[in-house]
Amino acid sequence: MSKPRRNVRFPHRASETRRLSISDASDAASEPGSPSKNGSVSKPETIVEEKPEQPQMSDYEKKKQTFITRTIWTFVMIFGFFIAMFSGHIYIIGIVTAVQIISFKEVIAIANVPSKEKNLRFTKSLNWYFLATTMYFLYGESVIYYFKHVLLVDKVLLPLATHHRFISFTLYVMGFVFFVASLQKGHYRFQFTQFAWTHMALYLIVVQAHFVMNNILEGMIWFFLPASLVITNDIFAYICGITFGRTQLIQLSPKKTVEGFLGAWICTIIFGYFMTNVLMRYKYFICPVNDLGSNVLTGLECTPNPAFMPQPYQVPEWTGVDKTFYIEPIQFHILIFATFASLIAPFGGFFASGLKRTFKIKDFGESIPGHGGITDRMDCQFIMGFFAYMYYHSFIAVYKATVGDVIETAINGLTVEEQLEVVRGLGKYLYNQGTVSETVSIPSNILL
């Protein structure tokens, strides 16, 4: 006859108990160490304590924690950015370089690598080799363009500058040949996909970041102003969207609304107008770089670009108002910059959103706590910086011959005797102009 069903309690913690239901009659009848029906002795039952479950965070607590982390790191980035900007152009160039390398790494990493391809040799090495080759070419082009007068008098750097493009091409061809030689049967599709993916990342990130660096060398305003317009537009798009947004803008980003899109455009134009008024009053922002060691304390000196000088504008006759206004041309240019930052640059973000949806990821990485990856924050900045460079050199830049240009075009191809004749002729010219007190006399047989 089986015993009635009973409950056995085991101690767990002072405030917790665990209830064990015994349903098997024979097991209930067998006490630890007592013989069972078939004569075997049952082993004492081991009591296993259950670990207390960790309290689960609610959705509200998770969002609150993410918001706090995001806010803290936002101020850290803003604070660090302004310190770097006022410390000198070289520090901002360093930040841009770090951003493009990390962004390249993040974009390359999102391509899912099949398990059988993970041990394929040279895949990652070739990615970084092409990155290094591209950066060597682009940075070299910038150095030669902006610091040609320094390179032309250096016997070591002059050959590198003269043959820079051929050296860059040779390095790329070496990588290309190595890639073809490393192709393995059964992995062709993967290897060619990686090759194409790498070059897409180089174009979308590294090449565009190169133009951002050139903007810095042309004057800090051409870097800071476009970047601040994109950030301002993003902030006001969010504010206007949650305030009166109703109509969805694009399916890639369901939270983007037409009302927020257009409202941010107007706010960005207003911000750009007042910010430009502030920045153009300081030569540290509007002067091109002539000394990479300069900072906000040492400052820069230059003749301001005509875009920053007031120009007379006559009110059209058909208005019936006979009046002339003096306005800096940059105030008209900033309307174009703000419009591009509001209506075109966001599509860089939409492109990045589509890329993440393709690979089913939320962020490009975790480089910035609370924000995701560097690419998540820079997706609109790359195309904005590219536009700023193109627009500046098309409509704003004033081109004039530099010492490096004169040396390269007028003297570089001459013989030593002909170069000395040019120097003597230049001395006579300066003497006739009253610039020097005596002419330059150089023996014709001197060797340089």
Side-chain angles (χ1 to χ4, degrees):
M1 183 176 180
S2 63
K3 294 183 180 181
R5 186 186 184 96
R6 63 191 179 93
N7 294 322
V8 181
R9 291 183 181 272
F10 293 92
H12 182 55
R13 284 185 179 273
S15 60
E16 299 179 8
T17 59
R18 184 166 70 95
R19 186 176 298 274
L20 176 63
S21 176
I22 308 298
S23 57
D24 191 299
S26 60
D27 292 341
S30 301
E31 297 295 338
S34 61
S36 60
K37 285 184 177 182
N38 55 14
S40 62
V41 179
S42 62
K43 295 181 181 180
E45 184 174 350
T46 303
I47 301 176
V48 180
E49 291 189 359
E50 294 180 348
K51 294 183 179 180
E53 296 183 359
Q54 295 293 332
Q56 296 291 332
M57 294 179 62
S58 64
D59 291 339
Y60 171 76
E61 291 174 334
K62 290 180 180 178
K63 291 181 179 179
K64 180 180 178 181
Q65 185 176 358
T66 301
F67 176 78
I68 294 174
T69 303
R70 187 185 183 99
T71 302
I72 292 174
W73 277 93
T74 297
F75 283 105
V76 168
M77 289 189 294
I78 293 175
F79 185 69
F81 172 78
F82 277 100
I83 289 179
M85 184 173 66
F86 293 136
S87 298
H89 298 72
I90 189 66
Y91 295 96
I92 293 295
I93 291 175
I95 290 178
V96 172
T97 302
V99 164
Q100 69 176 349
I101 293 175
I102 297 174
S103 297
F104 176 82
K105 178 183 177 181
E106 290 176 347
V107 171
I108 290 297
I110 68 172
N112 297 322
V113 180
S115 57
K116 68 176 182 178
E117 318 285 8
K118 287 184 178 179
N119 297 325
L120 200 61
R121 294 186 303 167
F122 308 123
T123 300
K124 292 183 178 180
S125 300
L126 279 172
N127 289 340
W128 291 107
Y129 177 83
F130 282 121
L131 172 65
T133 301
T134 304
M135 291 182 65
Y136 171 78
F137 168 70
L138 295 174
Y139 276 63
E141 289 289 304
S142 296
V143 171
I144 292 171
Y145 181 82
Y146 291 101
F147 303 101
K148 185 184 299 182
H149 59 286
V150 177
L151 299 176
L152 289 174
V153 297
D154 193 298
K155 293 183 179 180
V156 177
L157 297 178
L158 179 58
L160 292 176
T162 304
H163 306 294
H164 170 71
R165 292 183 178 179
F166 183 79
I167 294 173
S168 301
F169 174 76
T170 302
L171 291 174
Y172 179 81
V173 169
M174 289 171 58
F176 177 78
V177 171
F178 188 83
F179 165 76
V180 176
S182 66
L183 291 173
Q184 296 184 23
K185 187 176 181 180
H187 302 283
Y188 295 152
R189 179 183 294 274
F190 167 76
Q191 290 181 294
F192 277 104
T193 300
Q194 287 293 307
F195 184 82
W197 186 257
T198 300
H199 283 68
M200 184 200 74
L202 290 173
Y203 172 73
L204 292 178
I205 297 174
V206 182
V207 173
Q208 292 189 109
H210 158 72
F211 293 109
V212 174
M213 187 184 72
N214 286 353
N215 291 340
I216 298 171
L217 296 174
E218 292 289 354
M220 189 68 77
I221 191 173
W222 306 115
F223 164 76
F224 177 73
L225 193 58
S228 62
L229 289 174
V230 170
I231 296 172
T232 301
N233 179 76
D234 191 42
I235 293 173
F236 280 105
Y238 174 78
I239 295 175
C240 296
I242 63 174
T243 303
F244 46 81
R246 295 292 182 273
T247 310
Q248 182 177 335
L249 177 65
I250 189 170
Q251 292 184 353
L252 280 174
S253 297
K255 295 182 180 180
K256 302 291 184 182
T257 62
V258 175
E259 293 81 3
F261 195 66
L262 298 178
W265 177 26
I266 298 174
C267 294
T268 303
I269 289 177
I270 296 173
F271 169 84
Y273 176 83
F274 288 103
M275 179 57 70
T276 303
N277 272 332
V278 174
L279 296 180
M280 70 181 182
R281 303 185 188 282
Y282 299 94
K283 288 190 175 181
Y284 180 72
F285 283 95
I286 65 176
C287 286
V289 176
N290 50 31
D291 181 10
L292 285 175
S294 61
N295 54 52
V296 71
L297 298 178
T298 60
L300 291 170
E301 289 296 329
C302 68
T303 301
N305 187 295
F308 301 110
M309 306 299 293
Q311 303 293 332
Y313 290 93
Q314 183 71 37
V315 177
E317 296 181 359
W318 57 266
T319 61
V321 179
D322 185 15
K323 192 170 183 180
T324 301
F325 292 94
Y326 285 85
I327 304 175
E328 296 83 355
I330 187 63
Q331 297 292 8
F332 297 108
H333 294 304
I334 199 61
L335 299 177
I336 308 299
F337 276 75
T339 299
F340 189 92
S342 302
L343 304 184
I344 306 299
F347 282 85
F350 300 152
F351 177 86
S353 297
L355 199 60
K356 288 186 287 187
R357 289 177 182 273
T358 301
F359 290 95
K360 297 180 174 60
I361 59 174
K362 181 181 179 182
D363 297 310
F364 281 99
E366 298 178 354
S367 305
I368 311 174
H371 289 265
I374 290 288
T375 312
D376 294 289
R377 300 278 68 83
M378 300 298 298
D379 46 14
C380 301
Q381 294 287 1
F382 290 129
I383 190 172
M384 183 66 201
F386 194 2
F387 167 78
Y389 175 86
M390 293 299 178
Y391 186 89
Y392 170 79
H393 282 276
S394 298
F395 303 105
I396 301 176
V398 176
Y399 296 99
K400 61 181 180 179
T402 64
V403 175
D405 295 330
V406 173
I407 293 175
E408 184 179 32
T409 58
I411 298 180
N412 230 14
L414 303 179
T415 64
V416 174
E417 291 77 10
E418 291 172 334
Q419 292 178 4
L420 291 174
E421 185 62 32
V422 170
V423 174
R424 285 191 290 267
L426 181 60
K428 292 180 181 178
Y429 172 79
L430 294 175
Y431 175 77
N432 294 331
Q433 295 293 321
T435 305
V436 296
S437 58
E438 58 182 10
T439 60
V440 179
S441 178
I442 302 177
S444 58
N445 61 348
I446 191 172
L447 296 178
L448 296 181

